[in-house]
Amino acid sequence: MLTQMVANRVYDFSHSVGGREMLGDVAVAVGPGDDVYCAVRNNNFSAMVRLTIGVVPGDEKITGQFGSGGDGKLVWPTGVAVDRDYNVYVTDEWLNRVTVFDQGGTYLHHWGEAGNAAGRLNGPSGIDVDSQGDLYIVDSLNHRVQKFTAGGEYLAGWGGLGGGPGEFNTPWGLTVDHQDQVYVADHKNHRVQKFTTSGEYLAEFGSYGTGSGELNRPSDVAVDPDGDVYICDWANDRVQVFAADGTFITTFIGDAQELSKWLKETVDANADVVKARRRVDTLEPEWRLKLPCGLAFDAAKSRLIIADTQRRRFQIYSKVKDYIEPQVNL
């Protein structure tokens, strides 16, 4: 369904963006204006891709690539965040560190050491920034969240292996909402947990399963300015949407019925591929999300950007304000 009207909300599928350097897009963060930063990784290539994405399908452009060499070389990037000065922070779960770039992708510095003591990292993944400029990092293989200054000074941490409130099992994605509340995708506990910035447990979303409001290994989470919570339901190939109080709202399964601009160029360049696509019974599997890893809510444009990882693209949904249903005179 391209347009969903549910629970006094309207979600409208916009378009997809994919192809070219977006081969294995695992995380996404929104920068100023039309800027979007994408962490990509595969067996042959790991880097950050900077692109602009307008509101009109086809109005996208790759504007830079960084982190593929030099002192800022990334090996296995996992999470990305942008601070109020538009510096870009990238977690690397292989190097157990955070690498920092400026808005244009120039390497600034890195910090982090492997280990399980306070302030050390083991497989860091999700990362985000609060209103004070402090960073929250999912220390995945240590089953905890840690808080640092922008320069890497350890401030606090919480968690530990388990299934109770405030405990984690291989957590993955993380976001900080507009009230500085921290949400963590508790991957193997099949839920998202919500905390204060000091680690006080507040609530959780989801439980194991395949039904509405249920999750199977969630990988990321985002929150919009209204408090709606978007969860990347990784192993269920979908995104689940909840209200701030935990009420299930709806599900996005992917609606990319039109190829993205760059993917269409790739298909049209190969006559055999064009013929093969016309012979299949249905193209519907091509529309759908497949193992989506990351997502971000672009508050300025009121849109959700989903890293449709297995399909090497973004799928974008707009949250429409003041939607008017056209009247039909019969």
Side-chain angles (χ1 to χ4, degrees):
M1 185 181 297
L2 295 175
T3 302
Q4 297 190 41
M5 294 180 285
V6 57
N8 296 317
R9 299 160 175 84
V10 176
Y11 298 107
D12 189 50
F13 178 76
S14 176
H15 62 292
S16 66
V17 175
R20 297 198 176 172
E21 284 91 344
M22 292 177 59
L23 305 179
D25 50 324
V26 295
V28 56
V30 176
D34 290 340
D35 282 354
V36 174
Y37 295 90
C38 177
V40 299
R41 67 188 198 189
N42 56 62
N43 290 334
N44 301 312
F45 175 77
S46 291
M48 292 298 304
V49 174
R50 179 179 177 226
L51 61 160
T52 59
I53 302 177
V55 296
V56 178
D59 183 19
E60 59 257 18
K61 182 180 180 181
I62 292 176
T63 56
Q65 176 187 303
F66 54 94
S68 59
D71 293 335
K73 181 177 174 60
L74 303 167
V75 175
W76 210 238
T78 310
V80 56
V82 179
D83 71 12
R84 55 193 172 188
D85 296 319
Y86 307 127
N87 294 312
V88 182
Y89 299 80
V90 185
T91 54
D92 192 313
E93 64 177 337
W94 181 268
L95 296 174
N96 293 303
R97 73 184 192 190
V98 175
T99 305
V100 188
F101 305 87
D102 70 11
Q103 178 180 350
T106 299
Y107 167 76
L108 299 177
H109 58 91
H110 66 264
W111 48 265
E113 295 183 71
N116 56 22
R120 300 211 169 195
L121 302 168
N122 187 4
S125 52
I127 182 171
D128 206 356
V129 188
D130 69 14
S131 63
Q132 304 303 308
D134 293 326
L135 297 171
Y136 299 80
I137 297 175
V138 172
D139 189 11
S140 185
L141 298 183
N142 282 326
H143 313 285
R144 64 187 179 186
V145 172
Q146 298 200 75
K147 180 179 179 180
F148 298 85
T149 66
E153 178 185 351
Y154 173 77
L155 296 174
W158 68 87
L161 180 60
E167 297 177 325
F168 302 106
N169 189 347
T170 323
W172 191 338
L174 175 149
T175 196
V176 180
D177 71 12
H178 291 75
Q179 298 178 324
D180 280 347
Q181 295 170 323
V182 182
Y183 299 71
V184 183
D186 192 2
H187 187 60
K188 291 186 179 179
N189 280 327
H190 313 289
R191 64 185 179 184
V192 164
Q193 296 194 71
K194 177 182 177 181
F195 302 90
T196 66
T197 53
S198 60
E200 178 187 354
Y201 171 84
L202 296 174
E204 69 178 62
F205 300 79
S207 59
Y208 178 69
T210 60
S212 297
E214 295 178 332
L215 305 170
N216 188 354
R217 300 208 173 191
S219 56
D220 204 3
V221 55
V223 181
D224 70 22
D226 300 321
D228 288 344
V229 180
Y230 305 84
I231 300 174
C232 230
D233 192 6
W234 181 73
N236 281 328
D237 300 317
R238 64 188 183 183
V239 170
Q240 301 259 57
V241 188
F242 296 81
D245 64 1
T247 302
F248 169 75
I249 297 175
T250 192
T251 299
F252 302 143
I253 60 174
D255 290 283
Q257 297 183 25
E258 299 290 336
L259 289 173
S260 68
K261 178 178 71 173
W262 299 326
L263 287 175
K264 187 174 188 304
E265 290 172 356
T266 300
V267 169
D268 289 348
N270 190 322
D272 290 336
V273 173
V274 173
K275 292 176 182 177
R277 291 182 75 249
R278 293 177 65 85
R279 290 196 301 267
V280 299
D281 291 334
T282 176
L283 290 172
E284 185 168 348
E286 185 180 87
W287 310 346
R288 304 308 184 200
L289 296 168
K290 186 66 176 177
L291 298 176
C293 283
L295 73 175
F297 195 87
D298 182 350
K301 295 181 174 60
S302 192
R303 62 184 183 181
L304 181 72
I305 303 174
I306 303 169
D308 190 7
T309 307
Q310 194 76 8
R311 303 295 193 210
R312 302 178 175 186
R313 65 188 176 192
F314 294 147
Q315 293 209 44
I316 301 172
Y317 288 83
S318 298
K319 187 178 186 182
V320 183
K321 305 292 185 180
D322 302 320
Y323 182 82
I324 300 175
E325 180 73 16
Q327 294 184 355
V328 179
N329 294 323
L330 299 178

